[in-house]
Amino acid sequence: MPVKVYKPTSAGRRNSSVLDFSHLTKGKRPEKSLVERLPNRAGRNAHGHITSRFRGGGARKLYRKIDFRRNKDGVPGKVAAIEYDPNRTSDIALLHYADGEKRYILAPKGLVVGMKVVSGDQVEPEVGNSMPLSSIPTGLQVHNVELKPGRGGQIARAAGTNCQLLAREGKYATLVMPSGETRKVEAACRATIGEIGNKDWQ
């Protein structure tokens, strides 16, 4: 991912660099039906009293509703845009499903505009496709992994993270977590194929 390096015009600018965001869809505003306002509580509780000091300020941002469950089975979705999300380190992808519905998902590495993704029990194990751990070949990298079937993905959602499906035994699957820990999860839990993109976010 291209990185923009600043000229050392001051001591603070020296050695500083940022992403140039050239991988994102140009001029794309967030999908109106998939955003909601996040109220700024500024460290106040329900009575309006400040309970956490030194909070507040910053740019206003809209919350993008992400589909962590990926439960729209059998309907292919076309990637319409790759967008920035101010609420998370990873980028998000806007899907236009064949039946007209639109949803945001976490954008895995290698997902580009125009590609098609699908969810289901028996789909191809390709980047962006979502399926139960019982259907995923062992050894593959996965992200957005559920801890309870139907609850939605809770593991490996940050930029550049992934889990590896190590083995399956009975109704459980063994995963290597981003921390290196091995963990057993029900094989009926869903996961998405691939590694989360935007690895150079920091």
Side-chain angles (χ1 to χ4, degrees), residues 63-94:
Y63 179 74
R64 279 76 165 161
K65 300 174 192 170
I66 310 293
D67 178 19
F68 292 116
R69 286 196 169 89
R70 297 294 303 274
N71 54 4
K72 198 170 180 69
D73 289 354
V75 184
K78 186 178 179 182
V79 180
I82 305 291
E83 299 180 26
Y84 171 76
D85 188 347
N87 304 293
R88 61 192 74 251
T89 56
S90 60
D91 294 325
I92 55 176
L94 177 63

Side-chain angles (χ1 to χ4, degrees), residues 125-189:
E126 294 172 357
V127 169
N129 288 353
S130 178
M131 51 209 295
L133 291 168
S134 56
S135 305
I136 298 175
T138 54
L140 280 190
Q141 290 182 336
V142 293
H143 65 273
N144 191 38
V145 185
E146 292 182 327
L147 285 174
K148 291 282 177 70
R151 181 181 283 182
Q154 292 175 273
I155 302 173
R157 300 191 328 192
T161 58
N162 67 77
C163 296
Q164 188 177 18
L165 180 59
L166 207 60
R168 271 192 302 273
E169 191 178 336
K171 67 171 191 170
Y172 287 97
T174 306
L175 293 169
V176 179
M177 312 296 278
S179 62
E181 168 198 358
T182 56
R183 183 164 184 169
K184 281 191 173 181
V185 180
E186 285 185 57
C189 291

Side-chain angles (χ1 to χ4, degrees), residues 70 74 76 111 115-132 135-137 140-142 190-194:
R70 297 294 303 274
L111 195 75
M115 284 177 68
K116 291 199 172 178
V117 297
V118 67
S119 304
D121 291 347
Q122 299 298 327
V123 298
E124 290 296 314
E126 294 172 357
V127 169
N129 288 353
S130 178
M131 51 209 295
S135 305
I136 298 175
L140 280 190
Q141 290 182 336
V142 293
R190 289 199 176 208
T192 307
I193 308 295

Side-chain angles (χ1 to χ4, degrees), residues 28 46 159:
K28 178 76 179 77

